[in-house]
């Protein structure tokens, strides 16, 4: 059974940093794109970032220049380094496995999410 387990969320002040991790299992991690998607209170899902099997990454305009996605295929883990956090980054962050190797493919498996709260 495919599993994705996020960690690293928490409360941080505006301008601070957090690094989210997502440990994956039960599929050949290096062959698939993986993504981060978030949901702010009272809002719908928002794509944040993805990295394909070739390590090519994409970002939403709202996080470009502040967030960095990376993957460690040896550890079957994807990371999201979040810098210069803003109040509007407050959300539950979900890790997802894409259907294929390209990050344009749909997300088909999701983690349980980790809460990120940016507040002074």
């Amino acid at each position: 059974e495919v599993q994705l387990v996020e960690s690293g969320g928490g409360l941080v002040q505006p301008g601070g940093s957090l690094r989210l991790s997502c440990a994956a299992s039960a599929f050949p991690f290096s062959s698939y794109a993986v993504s981060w998607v978030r949901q702010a209170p009272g809002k719908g899902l928002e794509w944040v970032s993805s990295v394909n099997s070739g390590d090519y990454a994409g970002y939403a305009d709202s996080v470009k220049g502040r967030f960095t996605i990376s993957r460690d295929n040896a550890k079957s883990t994807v990371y999201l380094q979040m810098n210069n956090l803003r109040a509007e980054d407050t959300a539950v962050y979900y890790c997802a496995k894409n259907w294929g190797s390209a990050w344009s493919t749909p997300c088909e498996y999701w983690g349980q999410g980790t809460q990120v709260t940016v507040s002074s």
Side-chain angles (χ1 to χ4, degrees):
E1 180 185 355
V2 171
Q3 285 196 321
L4 299 153
V5 180
E6 302 98 334
S7 61
L11 173 64
V12 63
Q13 293 186 342
S17 298
L18 281 176
R19 188 175 84 151
L20 305 183
S21 300
C22 172
S25 60
F27 67 97
F29 181 78
S30 63
S31 298
Y32 290 88
V34 283
S35 300
W36 288 97
V37 179
R38 68 187 181 185
Q39 186 168 30
K43 296 190 176 181
L45 293 173
E46 177 191 16
W47 173 72
V48 174
S49 180
S50 298
V51 59
N52 70 8
S53 60
D55 224 14
Y56 180 80
Y59 299 92
D61 287 343
S62 59
V63 307
K64 200 172 293 182
R66 300 187 298 122
F67 290 10
T68 303
I69 191 171
S70 61
R71 63 190 299 161
D72 184 336
N73 290 334
K75 295 182 178 180
S76 296
T77 299
V78 60
Y79 304 97
L80 187 68
Q81 177 66 44
M82 306 186 295
N83 298 330
N84 192 19
L85 283 160
R86 305 167 180 169
E88 54 264 39
D89 294 318
T90 295
V92 177
Y93 284 72
Y94 297 94
C95 168
K97 171 191 174 295
N98 290 66
W99 179 82
S101 59
W103 51 262
S104 57
T105 57
C107 295
E108 60 172 353
Y109 290 98
W110 299 76
Q112 83 288 351
T114 187
Q115 176 71 47
V116 172
T117 302
V118 184
S119 175
S120 54

